């Protein structure tokens, strides 16, 4: 009985929580140029309760906008680990899926999912603001059904992610 | 006794609901001015629920945890002292001078808590907050002295009672009312005086290391803060109110006026903000004081 109450409580909480998601306004690649139109008057993501915030401590979503080179990967991982649970990662554009046009580059990582758990990808180069809004709505669905569990996967498979991070970054901390 | 305890719960609840409604309304109104649709009215409440239900919490020490608590309890204490129509709690025993001291507790708690985090942005934010306080407090205190001189009392209830039948402070001493409005505006930290929480410059200043439940407490505190500043101005210059509905309407009107200014202005640099406060509002506050001293 207690478990059912706790489950019901969690369900209500999750349906409220999904209506207030704050983005970490940290731009890693060229895809960041699509975020300002999404925030401002034309597409207005504020109507879903999604607003940009400036520090990792306050934010819920980390959007990895485009390619990630090794130098940036350090900052992204630090920012991600500074965010408080529950936290979500959106891989933005084809570069975060498989490297995109940086496939052969020596300094750009290919698959973001090996270094940090990605909850959701947006395909395209560039994804338009409509696609971003669509992805937010999809993320809300995932949160509602409890499928957006990247932060849990990161804790469970920490050794795996750590090993992959070490492979490209060396012993960096 | 039971009545007192009930009031001690109801008065902060009223203050919180008014504050949270005004915050939500402001976001909607700013959105409409910028030709957006805007978030729903209850968005601040959803934000607070989200923040309080965060699973992680990061602490940087004891004072870091206590800071938001001190800020919130200071705000709630201030709410007890402000005359609210229908509720008579502590407001009869305190006066304007005591209120001025209690109002600082909130900012002090936040400064202590943010200082513990060790983030340079937080330190800059606190320095800015205290400097700005130095700026707006000078005209504000002169304006309050004018009010005290005019009504010949420091008791808030008597000041409200003296303003019945449209003998509002704003009509009796218009210059002082305008100065107090500007000072209140500065105390609320809206544009162009939004130098403390400047996300583009110091990454939300004192709140930079706060997240999760800490930030939730600070957001509740912010809702109280909006209510306190506007309710104090309403009591001093708009004649209080005979019931809660009128009281709310007066606060609401003031807040709409504030939001118009907030939407169109950019941000001062900190030294410009202090220079502004020490120049025009102070001069006009002194003129208002002179008028009251000569004219009675």
């Amino acid at each position: 009985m207690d478990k059912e109450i706790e489950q019901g409580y969690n369900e209500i909480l999750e349906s409220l929580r999904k209506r207030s998601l704050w983005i970490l306004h940290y731009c890693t690649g060229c895809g960041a140029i699509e975020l300002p139109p999404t925030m401002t008057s034309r597409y207005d993501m504020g109507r879903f309760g999604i607003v940009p915030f400036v520090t990792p401590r306050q934010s819920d979503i980390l959007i990895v906008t485009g390619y990630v080179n090794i130098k940036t990967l350090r900052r992204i991982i630090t920012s991600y680990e500074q965010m408080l649970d529950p936290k979500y990662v959106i891989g933005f554009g084809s570069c975060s899926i498989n490297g995109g046009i940086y496939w052969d580059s020596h300094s750009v990582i290919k698959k973001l999912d090996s270094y940090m758990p990605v909850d959701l990808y947006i395909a395209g180069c560039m994804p338009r603001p409509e696609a971003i809004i669509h992805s937010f709505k999809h993320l809300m669905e995932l949160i509602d059904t409890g499928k957006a569990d990247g932060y849990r996967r990161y804790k469970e498979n920490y050794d795996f992610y750590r090993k992959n991070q070490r492979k490209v970054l060396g012993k960096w901390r | 006794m039971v009545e007192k305890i009930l009031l001690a719960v109801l008065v902060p609840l009223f203050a919180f609901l008014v504050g949270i409604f005004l915050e939500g309304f402001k976001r909607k109104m700013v959105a409409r001015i910028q030709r957006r649709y805007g978030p729903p009215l209850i968005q601040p409440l959803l934000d607070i629920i989200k923040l309080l239900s965060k699973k992680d919490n990061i602490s940087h020490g004891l004072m870091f945890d206590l800071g938001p608590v001190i800020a919130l309890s200071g705000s709630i204490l201030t709410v007890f002292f402000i005359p609210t129509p229908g509720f008579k709690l502590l407001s009869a025993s305190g006066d304007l001078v005591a209120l001025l001291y209690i109002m600082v507790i909130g900012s002090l708690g936040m400064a202590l808590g943010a200082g513990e985090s060790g983030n340079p942005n937080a330190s800059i934010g606190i320095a800015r907050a205290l400097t700005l306080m130095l700026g707006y407090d000078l005209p504000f205190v002169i304006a309050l002295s004018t009010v005290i001189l005019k009504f010949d009392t420091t008791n808030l209830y008597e000041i409200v009672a003296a303003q019945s039948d449209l003998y509002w402070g704003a009509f009796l001493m218009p210059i002082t009312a305008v100065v107090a409005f500007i000072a209140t505006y500065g105390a609320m930290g809206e544009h162009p005086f939004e130098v403390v929480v400047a996300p583009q410059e110091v990454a939300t200043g004192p709140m930079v290391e706060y997240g999760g439940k800490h930030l939730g407490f600070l957001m509740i505190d912010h809702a109280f803060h909006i209510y306190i500043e506007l309710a104090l101005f309403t009591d001093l210059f708009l004649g209080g109110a005979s019931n809660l509905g009128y009281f709310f309407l007066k606060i609401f009107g003031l807040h709409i006026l504030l939001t118009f200014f907030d939407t169109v202005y950019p941000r001062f640099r900190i030294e410009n903000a202090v220079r502004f406060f020490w120049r025009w509002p102070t001069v006009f506050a002194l003129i208002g004081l002179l008028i009251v001293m000569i004219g009675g």
Side-chain angles (χ1 to χ4, degrees):
Chain A
M1 190 64 194
D2 273 354
K3 213 168 186 184
E4 278 172 20
I5 292 173
E6 200 185 321
Q7 202 183 351
Y9 169 75
N10 273 337
E11 269 175 26
I12 294 171
L13 215 57
E14 228 121 72
S15 65
L16 290 174
R17 195 189 282 147
K18 71 169 183 186
R19 292 173 65 187
S20 160
L21 296 168
W22 294 347
I23 295 177
L24 176 57
H25 196 169
Y26 176 62
C27 309
T28 56
C30 43
I33 202 70
E34 295 291 336
L35 284 178
T38 322
M39 288 165 199
T40 47
S41 303
R42 181 81 186 261
Y43 295 99
D44 185 26
M45 68 186 178
R47 64 204 148 117
F48 304 113
I50 300 172
V51 277
F53 264 72
V54 284
T55 76
R57 300 271 190 228
Q58 303 164 353
S59 320
D60 306 299
I61 307 178
L62 174 64
I63 298 190
V64 182
T65 46
Y67 67 93
V68 180
N69 56 27
I70 290 163
K71 199 174 165 187
T72 320
L73 185 64
R74 277 179 206 163
R75 274 77 177 169
I76 291 181
I77 291 167
T78 313
S79 303
Y80 180 70
E81 286 178 355
Q82 278 187 357
M83 286 159 71
L84 303 179
D85 285 352
K87 51 194 173 186
Y88 314 100
V89 179
I90 294 182
F92 185 102
S94 26
C95 294
S96 60
I97 299 174
N98 59 6
I101 58 170
Y102 298 94
W103 174 259
D104 272 337
S105 172
H106 61 94
S107 63
V108 175
I109 60 153
K110 289 187 184 65
K111 200 178 157 201
L112 183 65
D113 204 23
S114 338
Y115 306 97
M116 57 203 303
V118 180
D119 291 292
L120 186 66
Y121 285 111
I122 315 172
C125 180
M126 303 262 103
R128 297 269 306 147
E130 291 96 330
I132 304 174
I133 297 273
H134 184 257
S135 81
F136 286 148
K137 299 205 86 171
H138 190 62
L139 182 67
M140 285 178 189
E141 261 171 46
L142 289 180
I143 293 171
D144 217 8
T145 49
K147 281 176 190 158
D149 59 346
Y151 62 97
R152 238 175 271 141
R153 271 188 284 137
Y154 190 67
K155 274 179 186 159
E156 280 162 14
N157 308 320
Y158 189 64
D159 290 339
F160 166 75
Y161 290 115
R162 198 69 179 168
K163 203 182 79 198
N164 286 335
Q165 289 165 10
R166 281 257 165 87
K167 215 181 273 173
V168 282
L169 298 176
K171 259 201 166 171
W172 63 294
R173 60 173 181 187
Chain B
M1 187 66 201
V2 178
E3 199 185 353
K4 278 260 160 161
I5 294 172
L6 202 66
L7 274 184
V9 177
L10 279 181
V11 174
L13 192 68
F14 172 74
F16 174 68
L17 288 179
V18 170
I20 209 90
F21 170 78
L22 291 179
E23 218 174 320
F25 184 83
K26 183 188 165 187
R27 283 179 72 170
K28 196 88 184 164
M29 193 171 146
V30 170
R32 287 297 160 89
I33 290 172
Q34 295 172 348
R35 296 203 175 175
R36 290 187 286 125
Y37 182 74
L41 266 182
I42 56 163
Q43 188 60 48
L45 203 61
L46 291 173
D47 287 348
I48 288 173
I49 290 172
K50 192 245 350 218
L51 286 170
L52 291 181
S53 72
K54 279 265 189 188
K55 283 173 186 153
D56 260 3
N57 243 344
I58 287 181
S59 175
H60 290 275
L62 182 65
M63 207 58 225
F64 185 81
D65 295 336
L66 282 180
V69 178
I70 293 174
L72 184 57
S73 44
S75 295
I76 292 176
L77 189 65
T78 319
V79 168
F80 287 160
F81 277 95
I82 288 178
T84 316
F87 299 133
K88 201 165 188 173
L89 210 60
L90 287 173
S91 34
S93 50
D95 60 7
L96 206 48
V97 182
L99 190 75
L100 269 182
Y101 277 99
I102 297 167
M103 272 169 78
V104 187
I105 295 177
S107 328
L108 203 64
M110 195 148 150
L112 286 171
E116 174 99 39
S117 72
N119 193 312
N121 281 328
S123 311
I124 298 171
I126 296 163
R128 284 180 175 205
L130 297 179
T131 317
L132 188 67
M133 195 188 275
L134 217 62
Y136 64 71
D137 256 6
L138 186 65
F140 194 57
V141 169
I142 297 175
L144 289 192
S145 335
T146 317
V147 172
I148 292 170
L149 205 65
K150 179 81 185 172
F151 296 115
D152 204 19
T153 173
T154 55
N155 191 322
L156 274 163
Y157 255 98
E158 285 173 24
I159 289 175
V160 173
Q163 299 179 54
S164 52
D165 298 334
L166 277 182
Y167 284 110
W168 289 2
F171 298 146
L172 295 176
M173 31 192 180
I175 298 176
T176 310
V178 170
V179 169
F181 181 77
I182 297 173
T184 305
Y185 192 86
M188 286 178 70
E190 309 282 13
H191 292 95
F193 306 115
E194 197 217 19
V195 283
V196 181
V197 190
Q200 295 87 345
E201 292 169 24
V202 289
T204 65
M207 275 112 73
V208 64
E209 282 290 326
Y210 281 115
K213 294 183 176 73
H214 295 93
L215 192 60
F217 266 71
L218 286 180
M219 286 193 76
I220 296 172
D221 175 55
H222 182 63
F224 277 113
H225 193 67
I226 292 176
Y227 172 83
I228 288 167
E229 298 290 347
L230 296 178
L232 185 64
F233 186 86
T234 309
D235 276 333
L236 290 179
F237 292 101
L238 301 183
S242 51
N243 61 37
L244 280 183
Y246 280 133
F247 197 60
F248 170 71
L249 278 182
K250 279 177 183 174
I251 292 178
F252 192 40
L254 257 181
H255 194 256
I256 289 176
L257 192 63
L258 284 170
T259 310
F260 277 131
F261 289 123
D262 183 38
T263 321
V264 293
Y265 278 114
R267 186 187 301 125
F268 269 138
R269 284 207 315 270
I270 177 68
E271 69 264 31
N272 290 355
V274 174
R275 196 171 293 156
F276 171 80
F277 273 124
W278 281 6
R279 193 174 291 161
W280 300 115
T282 308
V283 168
F284 279 106
L286 286 173
I287 291 173
L289 184 63
L290 210 64
I291 290 172
V292 169
M293 279 173 88
I294 295 168

